[in-house]
Amino acid sequence: DENPIATLAVNGIQHNLVETVLMIGGAHILPGRTDPCKAELACYFQSTKDFSIHVCLSLPVDIGQGTAGAYFSTLGTLKAGRPTLSAIVPKDATFLLYRGADLRGRHAGNNYPANFCDPVKRITAYYVCLTPIFMNNADYTRLVGGAGGGLKGPAKPMTPVVNSRLISLASRVKGIALTAPAPRGAGDAPTGPGYPTKAMKCYRLRPDSDIKEGKIYVGGAKATTLEKELKVKEEAEMNAGILPGDLQRWLSSSLGFILAVILASFLFVWIFSLVFTNYKEAQHLYDSPISASALSSNVLPKDWSFLPASWFGVKPCPEAVNVAPK
């Protein structure tokens, strides 16, 4: 149910969230305890540079009242405003980092399946939070019931951890933060998320002098701000003549105008058909041929016309004359 766009940065390398697993019954025993917690939330991240690298952020869960209660009470629902993963990670918590076999595909009935552990199929870096989060007892009961009768739980540790082995194989990590602190502006005053363009300096690089042995050396008095650079770029684009975006705007405007004219024409005819009685029938009133003589005699004065009909290729129709037989 977790948002898939959540990321975890490890030494500056981004890792995307690929799977979140709530294990009923913890997989790790926290220091000072003899048994795992009631549950454990395992968030698996994958490196954006090397897809074979997986990182697991593991959060042990106890029964009780805490800030993570709302997260688990809405688990499995489509409720708006559901708490995010960053809201349930304890602040200033200490994590234990170690590398081991992936817990996915394993359960308490088969801790070490051959297809996963002989040899180890995938090494995973675990960041185990040493401060548990809390879930309400009612939510725990609901989630256990939803798991079904075949629930076995995760693979469990077989023997206690030896301190010497823990010291040699694990690392103590402190200071993991899922929300970045507000940036500092002038006078170390918070300026909100992001950094102002005035505070970001730009340096023009000269490959012959600023790049040595694959390293970039930036300095000098010709530094400018990002705000000025963006302004110069905007002015250059305005004076560059026809740009690729201009052609797209012209085509879209032309197509929009043509479609608007077509729609307006249909709307005009539809309104006229409602306002004027028999509007459509009147359009076919003169579909049948009309006599030129009848038209000239009814419209124009007798023996007189504005323009000779022969000009238009129409032969004038003679009037009928009664001739007495001899």
Side-chain angles (χ1 to χ4, degrees), residues 1-2 41 61-62 64-85 87-88 133-137 139-140 142-143:
D1 275 356
E2 192 50 55
L41 186 66
V61 183
D62 276 339
Q65 300 293 327
T67 56
Y71 179 89
F72 293 107
S73 64
T74 56
L75 189 63
T77 65
L78 299 177
K79 184 178 180 180
R82 185 171 177 271
T84 60
L85 182 62
I88 66 173
I133 58 178
F134 292 94
M135 176 195 307
N136 295 329
N137 187 46
D139 295 324
Y140 176 77
R142 173 178 63 88
L143 294 172

Side-chain angles (χ1 to χ4, degrees), residues 35-283:
D35 296 316
C37 295
K38 287 290 187 178
E40 191 166 328
L41 186 66
C43 308
Y44 288 90
F45 296 83
Q46 187 179 42
S47 173
T48 57
K49 290 189 175 183
D50 187 351
F51 293 163
S52 64
I53 298 178
H54 288 249
V55 174
C56 178
L57 182 67
S58 184
L59 303 174
V61 183
D62 276 339
I63 304 300
Q65 300 293 327
T67 56
Y71 179 89
F72 293 107
S73 64
T74 56
L75 189 63
T77 65
L78 299 177
K79 184 178 180 180
R82 185 171 177 271
T84 60
L85 182 62
S86 60
I88 66 173
V89 178
K91 295 182 179 180
D92 301 326
T94 300
F95 292 79
L96 198 64
L97 168 62
Y98 75 95
R99 293 166 56 83
D102 199 335
L103 287 172
R104 291 172 291 183
R106 302 159 61 188
H107 54 80
N110 189 5
N111 285 333
Y112 304 105
N115 57 335
F116 281 92
C117 304
D118 190 17
V120 175
K121 185 176 181 180
R122 181 169 55 218
I123 297 293
T124 302
Y126 289 91
Y127 288 83
V128 182
C129 184
L130 300 182
T131 302
I133 58 178
F134 292 94
M135 176 195 307
N136 295 329
N137 187 46
D139 295 324
Y140 176 77
T141 304
R142 173 178 63 88
L143 294 172
V144 170
L151 179 64
K152 296 181 179 180
K156 297 181 179 180
M158 302 298 294
T159 58
V161 178
V162 181
N163 289 337
S164 59
R165 180 177 175 81
L166 180 65
I167 294 174
S168 61
L169 298 179
S171 300
R172 184 172 177 268
V173 180
K174 191 173 183 180
I176 292 181
L178 280 82
T179 54
R184 297 290 176 176
D188 290 338
T191 58
Y195 290 89
T197 56
K198 295 181 180 180
M200 303 181 71
K201 298 295 182 180
C202 294
Y203 299 89
R204 296 191 180 280
L205 295 179
R206 294 171 295 179
D208 55 343
S209 59
D210 294 339
I211 301 178
K212 298 178 181 180
E213 299 180 356
K215 297 181 180 181
I216 298 175
Y217 296 87
V218 180
K222 295 184 178 180
T224 181
T225 62
L226 180 60
E227 185 180 30
K228 293 180 180 179
E229 290 288 325
L230 294 176
K231 187 176 181 180
V232 171
K233 182 180 179 181
E234 182 179 358
E235 293 176 352
E237 291 180 352
M238 293 177 62
N239 300 327
I242 299 177
L243 298 175
D246 297 336
L247 183 60
Q248 181 181 3
R249 286 193 296 270
W250 295 341
L251 290 176
S252 60
S253 300
S254 301
L255 291 176
F257 177 76
I258 294 173
L259 291 176
V261 171
I262 294 175
L263 293 176
S265 302
F266 278 103
L267 183 62
F268 181 81
V269 173
W270 179 71
I271 293 176
F272 262 58
S273 64
L274 296 179
V275 175
F276 298 98
T277 306
N278 297 328
Y279 173 75
K280 293 182 179 179
E281 291 76 2
Q283 308 309 309

